[in-house]
Amino acid sequence: MFQMISGSALIVTMADKTKSTKPANKTPPKSPADPAKERAAKRLSYESNSSHEGAMAAELSALEETFRKFAIHGDTRATGKEMHGKNWSKLCKDCHVIDGKNVTITDVDIVFSKIKGKSSRTITFDQFKEALQELSKKRFKDQSNEEAVQEIHKLIEGKAPIISGVTKTISSPTVSRLTDTTKFTGSHKERFDPSGKGRGKAGREDLVDASGYVPGYKHAGTYDHKVQGSNPSSHGC
């Protein structure tokens, strides 16, 4: 009897411990998400990021914008953060930093080699400003250092690379021979007069000559003149 009671008590005690160790789920059920609210939240987040990027772009100075435009000119792999010597020379030429008197292309090359690192082939924007400061002393000799820097910045700010070099027609002996009307033969020759001007319809179709003269006759039209000249009535007698 004691054993049975003890066994029953043991079973009840283990069941109570099992119930007490199981945590109660007090978290309220999650309500279904509202798709419209999620889309609105994403849109607000995107607009916030876009406005931040726009603010960063607006912080770029006009000088740095010009630097980036010239830095990527002619190079699809360029990032706009570094500039090669070729584009540096083009910037100085297009923006009229080179005037041929105080600043020459040689001066521009010397300053670039001086500013860039020994093992580098490009300059950064900060080095670019240093190079302009060097050139400003030569370009605007009569002004103070600060004024000279401001003036050379004005030459560059807001500018973009000038795309020049219109395709020129290359004269070819073959083309000249094919377009020389004096060397045309057959029906093609009849389409042009001796000066090379097209004859229009007369050069494309066989028109009937009703003048009474043989085609190609050199004295065509002189008969009527002779007849009128030999008629006495034509002299008013």
Side-chain angles (χ1 to χ4, degrees):
M1 185 69 178
F2 177 75
Q3 290 181 352
M4 293 178 63
I5 295 174
S6 299
S8 301
L10 180 61
I11 293 172
V12 173
T13 304
M14 292 295 294
D16 292 341
K17 288 183 178 181
T18 305
K19 292 181 180 179
S20 61
T21 56
K22 187 177 181 180
N25 187 9
K26 297 182 180 180
T27 305
K30 188 177 180 180
S31 60
D34 188 353
K37 290 183 179 180
E38 288 186 354
R39 289 195 297 268
K42 290 181 180 179
R43 184 172 65 253
L44 290 173
S45 177
Y46 174 77
E47 291 176 354
S48 177
N49 294 334
S50 299
S51 61
H52 177 67
E53 293 176 358
M56 292 180 62
E59 291 177 359
L60 293 178
S61 63
L63 185 67
E64 188 171 359
E65 287 183 1
T66 300
F67 171 83
R68 293 194 174 192
K69 289 178 181 178
F70 278 90
I72 63 175
H73 178 70
D75 188 357
T76 56
R77 296 176 297 177
T79 61
K81 296 180 179 180
E82 296 178 340
M83 179 182 291
H84 289 274
K86 182 179 179 180
N87 289 8
W88 157 254
S89 299
K90 179 174 177 58
L91 181 145
C92 293
K93 181 180 178 181
D94 291 356
C95 298
H96 304 291
V97 175
I98 299 175
D99 61 352
K101 297 180 181 180
N102 298 328
V103 177
T104 63
I105 186 65
T106 303
D107 298 324
V108 169
D109 293 338
I110 291 174
V111 169
F112 184 84
S113 300
K114 177 183 177 181
I115 297 298
K116 74 178 183 65
K118 294 182 179 180
S119 60
S120 178
R121 300 174 59 185
T122 60
I123 58 174
T124 62
F125 178 65
D126 290 335
Q127 292 174 321
F128 170 73
K129 291 190 291 185
E130 292 180 21
L132 292 181
Q133 187 174 2
E134 289 286 335
L135 290 178
S136 66
K137 301 174 184 178
K138 297 176 65 67
R139 184 67 168 80
F140 302 98
K141 295 181 179 180
D142 300 334
Q143 301 185 23
S144 65
N145 292 340
E146 185 178 353
E147 292 175 345
V149 171
Q150 291 177 356
E151 290 298 326
I152 202 168
H153 284 188
K154 289 179 182 179
L155 292 176
I156 298 171
E157 291 174 349
K159 301 296 179 59
I162 298 175
I163 302 175
S164 59
V166 180
T167 305
K168 297 181 180 179
T169 304
I170 301 175
S171 58
S172 170
T174 304
V175 176
S176 300
R177 183 175 67 254
L178 294 175
T179 55
D180 187 359
T181 58
T182 60
K183 297 180 180 180
F184 286 3
T185 59
S187 60
H188 298 289
K189 183 178 181 179
E190 301 299 328
R191 297 177 59 186
F192 301 90
D193 62 14
S195 66
K197 184 178 179 180
R199 297 174 57 192
K201 186 177 180 180
R204 299 192 303 269
E205 299 180 2
D206 294 331
L207 301 179
V208 179
D209 187 3
S211 63
Y213 292 93
V214 177
Y217 181 59
K218 296 181 179 180
H219 303 288
T222 58
Y223 176 77
D224 294 336
H225 179 70
K226 289 181 179 180
V227 171
Q228 292 178 359
S230 62
N231 189 356
S233 59
S234 62
H235 297 285
C237 298

PDB file of all heavy atoms in Angstrom, residues 31-61:
ATOM      1  N   SER A  31       0.058  40.136 -36.005  1.00  0.00           N
ATOM      2  CA  SER A  31      -0.964  40.529 -36.975  1.00  0.00           C
ATOM      3  C   SER A  31      -0.392  40.487 -38.389  1.00  0.00           C
ATOM      4  O   SER A  31       0.794  40.761 -38.601  1.00  0.00           O
ATOM      5  CB  SER A  31      -1.463  41.948 -36.674  1.00  0.00           C
ATOM      6  OG  SER A  31      -0.390  42.859 -36.740  1.00  0.00           O
ATOM      7  N   PRO A  32      -1.182  40.156 -39.379  1.00  0.00           N
ATOM      8  CA  PRO A  32      -0.675  40.109 -40.763  1.00  0.00           C
ATOM      9  C   PRO A  32      -0.198  41.481 -41.223  1.00  0.00           C
ATOM     10  O   PRO A  32      -0.795  42.505 -40.898  1.00  0.00           O
ATOM     11  CB  PRO A  32      -1.906  39.642 -41.558  1.00  0.00           C
ATOM     12  CG  PRO A  32      -3.074  39.973 -40.694  1.00  0.00           C
ATOM     13  CD  PRO A  32      -2.600  39.821 -39.274  1.00  0.00           C
ATOM     14  N   ALA A  33       0.937  41.478 -41.955  1.00  0.00           N
ATOM     15  CA  ALA A  33       1.532  42.742 -42.398  1.00  0.00           C
ATOM     16  C   ALA A  33       0.656  43.399 -43.456  1.00  0.00           C
ATOM     17  O   ALA A  33       0.002  42.724 -44.264  1.00  0.00           O
ATOM     18  CB  ALA A  33       2.922  42.475 -42.960  1.00  0.00           C
ATOM     19  N   ASP A  34       0.701  44.731 -43.444  1.00  0.00           N
ATOM     20  CA  ASP A  34      -0.053  45.519 -44.433  1.00  0.00           C
ATOM     21  C   ASP A  34       0.871  45.821 -45.613  1.00  0.00           C
ATOM     22  O   ASP A  34       1.847  46.566 -45.468  1.00  0.00           O
ATOM     23  CB  ASP A  34      -0.545  46.812 -43.795  1.00  0.00           C
ATOM     24  CG  ASP A  34      -1.501  47.569 -44.719  1.00  0.00           C
ATOM     25  OD1 ASP A  34      -1.642  47.136 -45.874  1.00  0.00           O
ATOM     26  OD2 ASP A  34      -2.075  48.580 -44.277  1.00  0.00           O
ATOM     27  N   PRO A  35       0.617  45.263 -46.801  1.00  0.00           N
ATOM     28  CA  PRO A  35       1.511  45.500 -47.954  1.00  0.00           C
ATOM     29  C   PRO A  35       1.647  46.980 -48.295  1.00  0.00           C
ATOM     30  O   PRO A  35       2.718  47.451 -48.686  1.00  0.00           O
ATOM     31  CB  PRO A  35       0.831  44.727 -49.096  1.00  0.00           C
ATOM     32  CG  PRO A  35      -0.025  43.716 -48.406  1.00  0.00           C
ATOM     33  CD  PRO A  35      -0.472  44.354 -47.137  1.00  0.00           C
ATOM     34  N   ALA A  36       0.567  47.734 -48.159  1.00  0.00           N
ATOM     35  CA  ALA A  36       0.628  49.161 -48.496  1.00  0.00           C
ATOM     36  C   ALA A  36       1.585  49.902 -47.573  1.00  0.00           C
ATOM     37  O   ALA A  36       2.358  50.761 -48.002  1.00  0.00           O
ATOM     38  CB  ALA A  36      -0.777  49.767 -48.403  1.00  0.00           C
ATOM     39  N   LYS A  37       1.556  49.548 -46.268  1.00  0.00           N
ATOM     40  CA  LYS A  37       2.451  50.203 -45.316  1.00  0.00           C
ATOM     41  C   LYS A  37       3.904  49.834 -45.593  1.00  0.00           C
ATOM     42  O   LYS A  37       4.803  50.660 -45.466  1.00  0.00           O
ATOM     43  CB  LYS A  37       2.061  49.814 -43.892  1.00  0.00           C
ATOM     44  CG  LYS A  37       0.731  50.404 -43.429  1.00  0.00           C
ATOM     45  CD  LYS A  37       0.454  50.043 -41.984  1.00  0.00           C
ATOM     46  CE  LYS A  37      -0.861  50.658 -41.512  1.00  0.00           C
ATOM     47  NZ  LYS A  37      -1.148  50.327 -40.095  1.00  0.00           N
ATOM     48  N   GLU A  38       4.150  48.576 -45.963  1.00  0.00           N
ATOM     49  CA  GLU A  38       5.514  48.155 -46.271  1.00  0.00           C
ATOM     50  C   GLU A  38       6.062  48.902 -47.489  1.00  0.00           C
ATOM     51  O   GLU A  38       7.206  49.335 -47.514  1.00  0.00           O
ATOM     52  CB  GLU A  38       5.550  46.648 -46.515  1.00  0.00           C
ATOM     53  CG  GLU A  38       5.361  45.819 -45.257  1.00  0.00           C
ATOM     54  CD  GLU A  38       5.556  44.347 -45.532  1.00  0.00           C
ATOM     55  OE1 GLU A  38       5.718  43.978 -46.713  1.00  0.00           O
ATOM     56  OE2 GLU A  38       5.537  43.561 -44.568  1.00  0.00           O
ATOM     57  N   ARG A  39       5.224  49.037 -48.506  1.00  0.00           N
ATOM     58  CA  ARG A  39       5.665  49.764 -49.699  1.00  0.00           C
ATOM     59  C   ARG A  39       5.948  51.222 -49.369  1.00  0.00           C
ATOM     60  O   ARG A  39       6.910  51.822 -49.873  1.00  0.00           O
ATOM     61  CB  ARG A  39       4.606  49.668 -50.805  1.00  0.00           C
ATOM     62  CG  ARG A  39       4.498  48.283 -51.440  1.00  0.00           C
ATOM     63  CD  ARG A  39       3.710  48.357 -52.741  1.00  0.00           C
ATOM     64  NE  ARG A  39       2.348  48.783 -52.504  1.00  0.00           N
ATOM     65  CZ  ARG A  39       1.335  47.945 -52.297  1.00  0.00           C
ATOM     66  NH1 ARG A  39       1.559  46.631 -52.277  1.00  0.00           N
ATOM     67  NH2 ARG A  39       0.104  48.404 -52.113  1.00  0.00           N
ATOM     68  N   ALA A  40       5.113  51.827 -48.543  1.00  0.00           N
ATOM     69  CA  ALA A  40       5.327  53.224 -48.160  1.00  0.00           C
ATOM     70  C   ALA A  40       6.620  53.390 -47.382  1.00  0.00           C
ATOM     71  O   ALA A  40       7.371  54.352 -47.583  1.00  0.00           O
ATOM     72  CB  ALA A  40       4.142  53.714 -47.320  1.00  0.00           C
ATOM     73  N   ALA A  41       6.908  52.426 -46.506  1.00  0.00           N
ATOM     74  CA  ALA A  41       8.148  52.499 -45.726  1.00  0.00           C
ATOM     75  C   ALA A  41       9.364  52.367 -46.623  1.00  0.00           C
ATOM     76  O   ALA A  41      10.363  53.086 -46.464  1.00  0.00           O
ATOM     77  CB  ALA A  41       8.148  51.399 -44.666  1.00  0.00           C
ATOM     78  N   LYS A  42       9.301  51.440 -47.588  1.00  0.00           N
ATOM     79  CA  LYS A  42      10.413  51.284 -48.523  1.00  0.00           C
ATOM     80  C   LYS A  42      10.613  52.536 -49.362  1.00  0.00           C
ATOM     81  O   LYS A  42      11.725  52.947 -49.639  1.00  0.00           O
ATOM     82  CB  LYS A  42      10.159  50.075 -49.430  1.00  0.00           C
ATOM     83  CG  LYS A  42      10.255  48.737 -48.715  1.00  0.00           C
ATOM     84  CD  LYS A  42      10.021  47.602 -49.691  1.00  0.00           C
ATOM     85  CE  LYS A  42      10.116  46.262 -48.989  1.00  0.00           C
ATOM     86  NZ  LYS A  42       9.862  45.138 -49.932  1.00  0.00           N
ATOM     87  N   ARG A  43       9.495  53.148 -49.785  1.00  0.00           N
ATOM     88  CA  ARG A  43       9.604  54.359 -50.599  1.00  0.00           C
ATOM     89  C   ARG A  43      10.245  55.496 -49.814  1.00  0.00           C
ATOM     90  O   ARG A  43      11.081  56.236 -50.322  1.00  0.00           O
ATOM     91  CB  ARG A  43       8.218  54.771 -51.101  1.00  0.00           C
ATOM     92  CG  ARG A  43       8.261  55.980 -52.037  1.00  0.00           C
ATOM     93  CD  ARG A  43       6.917  56.255 -52.683  1.00  0.00           C
ATOM     94  NE  ARG A  43       5.920  56.642 -51.698  1.00  0.00           N
ATOM     95  CZ  ARG A  43       4.928  55.877 -51.297  1.00  0.00           C
ATOM     96  NH1 ARG A  43       4.809  54.639 -51.782  1.00  0.00           N
ATOM     97  NH2 ARG A  43       4.055  56.292 -50.392  1.00  0.00           N
ATOM     98  N   LEU A  44       9.846  55.641 -48.563  1.00  0.00           N
ATOM     99  CA  LEU A  44      10.429  56.688 -47.727  1.00  0.00           C
ATOM    100  C   LEU A  44      11.924  56.461 -47.512  1.00  0.00           C
ATOM    101  O   LEU A  44      12.725  57.395 -47.527  1.00  0.00           O
ATOM    102  CB  LEU A  44       9.710  56.739 -46.374  1.00  0.00           C
ATOM    103  CG  LEU A  44       8.272  57.262 -46.395  1.00  0.00           C
ATOM    104  CD1 LEU A  44       7.635  57.097 -45.027  1.00  0.00           C
ATOM    105  CD2 LEU A  44       8.228  58.717 -46.839  1.00  0.00           C
ATOM    106  N   SER A  45      12.295  55.194 -47.337  1.00  0.00           N
ATOM    107  CA  SER A  45      13.706  54.874 -47.163  1.00  0.00           C
ATOM    108  C   SER A  45      14.502  55.195 -48.418  1.00  0.00           C
ATOM    109  O   SER A  45      15.593  55.744 -48.373  1.00  0.00           O
ATOM    110  CB  SER A  45      13.862  53.400 -46.806  1.00  0.00           C
ATOM    111  OG  SER A  45      15.220  53.041 -46.702  1.00  0.00           O
ATOM    112  N   TYR A  46      13.933  54.860 -49.600  1.00  0.00           N
ATOM    113  CA  TYR A  46      14.608  55.145 -50.868  1.00  0.00           C
ATOM    114  C   TYR A  46      14.759  56.642 -51.107  1.00  0.00           C
ATOM    115  O   TYR A  46      15.805  57.125 -51.516  1.00  0.00           O
ATOM    116  CB  TYR A  46      13.812  54.506 -52.011  1.00  0.00           C
ATOM    117  CG  TYR A  46      14.339  54.848 -53.382  1.00  0.00           C
ATOM    118  CD1 TYR A  46      15.484  54.225 -53.881  1.00  0.00           C
ATOM    119  CD2 TYR A  46      13.698  55.806 -54.183  1.00  0.00           C
ATOM    120  CE1 TYR A  46      15.965  54.539 -55.134  1.00  0.00           C
ATOM    121  CE2 TYR A  46      14.183  56.123 -55.432  1.00  0.00           C
ATOM    122  CZ  TYR A  46      15.319  55.485 -55.904  1.00  0.00           C
ATOM    123  OH  TYR A  46      15.805  55.801 -57.140  1.00  0.00           O
ATOM    124  N   GLU A  47      13.681  57.383 -50.817  1.00  0.00           N
ATOM    125  CA  GLU A  47      13.739  58.836 -51.012  1.00  0.00           C
ATOM    126  C   GLU A  47      14.746  59.476 -50.070  1.00  0.00           C
ATOM    127  O   GLU A  47      15.430  60.431 -50.419  1.00  0.00           O
ATOM    128  CB  GLU A  47      12.349  59.439 -50.788  1.00  0.00           C
ATOM    129  CG  GLU A  47      11.344  59.062 -51.868  1.00  0.00           C
ATOM    130  CD  GLU A  47       9.960  59.600 -51.558  1.00  0.00           C
ATOM    131  OE1 GLU A  47       9.776  60.156 -50.453  1.00  0.00           O
ATOM    132  OE2 GLU A  47       9.071  59.459 -52.420  1.00  0.00           O
ATOM    133  N   SER A  48      14.852  58.934 -48.863  1.00  0.00           N
ATOM    134  CA  SER A  48      15.823  59.460 -47.913  1.00  0.00           C
ATOM    135  C   SER A  48      17.243  59.244 -48.403  1.00  0.00           C
ATOM    136  O   SER A  48      18.085  60.139 -48.356  1.00  0.00           O
ATOM    137  CB  SER A  48      15.636  58.787 -46.557  1.00  0.00           C
ATOM    138  OG  SER A  48      16.607  59.235 -45.636  1.00  0.00           O
ATOM    139  N   ASN A  49      17.510  58.026 -48.946  1.00  0.00           N
ATOM    140  CA  ASN A  49      18.842  57.751 -49.484  1.00  0.00           C
ATOM    141  C   ASN A  49      19.139  58.602 -50.703  1.00  0.00           C
ATOM    142  O   ASN A  49      20.251  59.084 -50.892  1.00  0.00           O
ATOM    143  CB  ASN A  49      18.964  56.262 -49.840  1.00  0.00           C
ATOM    144  CG  ASN A  49      18.910  55.376 -48.613  1.00  0.00           C
ATOM    145  OD1 ASN A  49      19.242  55.807 -47.522  1.00  0.00           O
ATOM    146  ND2 ASN A  49      18.470  54.128 -48.795  1.00  0.00           N
ATOM    147  N   SER A  50      18.141  58.791 -51.572  1.00  0.00           N
ATOM    148  CA  SER A  50      18.338  59.593 -52.778  1.00  0.00           C
ATOM    149  C   SER A  50      18.640  61.044 -52.437  1.00  0.00           C
ATOM    150  O   SER A  50      19.498  61.685 -53.045  1.00  0.00           O
ATOM    151  CB  SER A  50      17.092  59.512 -53.674  1.00  0.00           C
ATOM    152  OG  SER A  50      16.854  58.183 -54.066  1.00  0.00           O
ATOM    153  N   SER A  51      17.916  61.573 -51.457  1.00  0.00           N
ATOM    154  CA  SER A  51      18.148  62.961 -51.068  1.00  0.00           C
ATOM    155  C   SER A  51      19.530  63.126 -50.458  1.00  0.00           C
ATOM    156  O   SER A  51      20.200  64.145 -50.642  1.00  0.00           O
ATOM    157  CB  SER A  51      17.076  63.420 -50.077  1.00  0.00           C
ATOM    158  OG  SER A  51      17.111  62.623 -48.894  1.00  0.00           O
ATOM    159  N   HIS A  52      19.977  62.085 -49.741  1.00  0.00           N
ATOM    160  CA  HIS A  52      21.323  62.142 -49.152  1.00  0.00           C
ATOM    161  C   HIS A  52      22.382  62.141 -50.240  1.00  0.00           C
ATOM    162  O   HIS A  52      23.357  62.904 -50.197  1.00  0.00           O
ATOM    163  CB  HIS A  52      21.517  60.949 -48.219  1.00  0.00           C
ATOM    164  CG  HIS A  52      22.892  60.877 -47.616  1.00  0.00           C
ATOM    165  ND1 HIS A  52      23.346  61.821 -46.715  1.00  0.00           N
ATOM    166  CD2 HIS A  52      23.905  59.990 -47.798  1.00  0.00           C
ATOM    167  CE1 HIS A  52      24.583  61.524 -46.353  1.00  0.00           C
ATOM    168  NE2 HIS A  52      24.941  60.405 -46.998  1.00  0.00           N
ATOM    169  N   GLU A  53      22.195  61.285 -51.266  1.00  0.00           N
ATOM    170  CA  GLU A  53      23.137  61.256 -52.370  1.00  0.00           C
ATOM    171  C   GLU A  53      23.123  62.571 -53.138  1.00  0.00           C
ATOM    172  O   GLU A  53      24.147  63.069 -53.586  1.00  0.00           O
ATOM    173  CB  GLU A  53      22.807  60.092 -53.303  1.00  0.00           C
ATOM    174  CG  GLU A  53      23.036  58.731 -52.664  1.00  0.00           C
ATOM    175  CD  GLU A  53      22.606  57.608 -53.578  1.00  0.00           C
ATOM    176  OE1 GLU A  53      22.096  57.913 -54.676  1.00  0.00           O
ATOM    177  OE2 GLU A  53      22.763  56.437 -53.197  1.00  0.00           O
ATOM    178  N   GLY A  54      21.936  63.144 -53.311  1.00  0.00           N
ATOM    179  CA  GLY A  54      21.850  64.428 -54.002  1.00  0.00           C
ATOM    180  C   GLY A  54      22.544  65.526 -53.235  1.00  0.00           C
ATOM    181  O   GLY A  54      23.179  66.410 -53.820  1.00  0.00           O
ATOM    182  N   ALA A  55      22.442  65.486 -51.908  1.00  0.00           N
ATOM    183  CA  ALA A  55      23.121  66.486 -51.089  1.00  0.00           C
ATOM    184  C   ALA A  55      24.628  66.357 -51.221  1.00  0.00           C
ATOM    185  O   ALA A  55      25.360  67.350 -51.283  1.00  0.00           O
ATOM    186  CB  ALA A  55      22.703  66.339 -49.634  1.00  0.00           C
ATOM    187  N   MET A  56      25.106  65.100 -51.281  1.00  0.00           N
ATOM    188  CA  MET A  56      26.543  64.887 -51.447  1.00  0.00           C
ATOM    189  C   MET A  56      27.013  65.393 -52.797  1.00  0.00           C
ATOM    190  O   MET A  56      28.084  65.989 -52.927  1.00  0.00           O
ATOM    191  CB  MET A  56      26.867  63.396 -51.312  1.00  0.00           C
ATOM    192  CG  MET A  56      26.673  62.849 -49.913  1.00  0.00           C
ATOM    193  SD  MET A  56      27.075  61.099 -49.805  1.00  0.00           S
ATOM    194  CE  MET A  56      28.809  61.132 -50.241  1.00  0.00           C
ATOM    195  N   ALA A  57      26.195  65.184 -53.861  1.00  0.00           N
ATOM    196  CA  ALA A  57      26.567  65.677 -55.190  1.00  0.00           C
ATOM    197  C   ALA A  57      26.581  67.193 -55.220  1.00  0.00           C
ATOM    198  O   ALA A  57      27.403  67.813 -55.905  1.00  0.00           O
ATOM    199  CB  ALA A  57      25.596  65.131 -56.238  1.00  0.00           C
ATOM    200  N   ALA A  58      25.639  67.809 -54.490  1.00  0.00           N
ATOM    201  CA  ALA A  58      25.585  69.266 -54.480  1.00  0.00           C
ATOM    202  C   ALA A  58      26.786  69.865 -53.772  1.00  0.00           C
ATOM    203  O   ALA A  58      27.157  71.015 -54.010  1.00  0.00           O
ATOM    204  CB  ALA A  58      24.296  69.725 -53.807  1.00  0.00           C
ATOM    205  N   GLU A  59      27.398  69.076 -52.871  1.00  0.00           N
ATOM    206  CA  GLU A  59      28.547  69.571 -52.143  1.00  0.00           C
ATOM    207  C   GLU A  59      29.784  69.667 -53.024  1.00  0.00           C
ATOM    208  O   GLU A  59      30.753  70.321 -52.659  1.00  0.00           O
ATOM    209  CB  GLU A  59      28.824  68.646 -50.953  1.00  0.00           C
ATOM    210  CG  GLU A  59      27.751  68.725 -49.858  1.00  0.00           C
ATOM    211  CD  GLU A  59      28.019  67.737 -48.740  1.00  0.00           C
ATOM    212  OE1 GLU A  59      29.023  67.003 -48.850  1.00  0.00           O
ATOM    213  OE2 GLU A  59      27.240  67.699 -47.785  1.00  0.00           O
ATOM    214  N   LEU A  60      29.797  68.988 -54.167  1.00  0.00           N
ATOM    215  CA  LEU A  60      30.937  69.068 -55.071  1.00  0.00           C
ATOM    216  C   LEU A  60      31.051  70.484 -55.617  1.00  0.00           C
ATOM    217  O   LEU A  60      30.080  71.055 -56.101  1.00  0.00           O
ATOM    218  CB  LEU A  60      30.784  68.079 -56.225  1.00  0.00           C
ATOM    219  CG  LEU A  60      30.841  66.587 -55.884  1.00  0.00           C
ATOM    220  CD1 LEU A  60      30.631  65.774 -57.140  1.00  0.00           C
ATOM    221  CD2 LEU A  60      32.167  66.235 -55.241  1.00  0.00           C
ATOM    222  N   SER A  61      32.223  71.004 -55.570  1.00  0.00           N
ATOM    223  CA  SER A  61      32.439  72.349 -56.088  1.00  0.00           C
ATOM    224  C   SER A  61      32.473  72.306 -57.607  1.00  0.00           C
ATOM    225  O   SER A  61      32.640  71.257 -58.227  1.00  0.00           O
ATOM    226  CB  SER A  61      33.749  72.915 -55.543  1.00  0.00           C
ATOM    227  OG  SER A  61      34.851  72.130 -55.990  1.00  0.00           O
TER     228      SER A  61
END
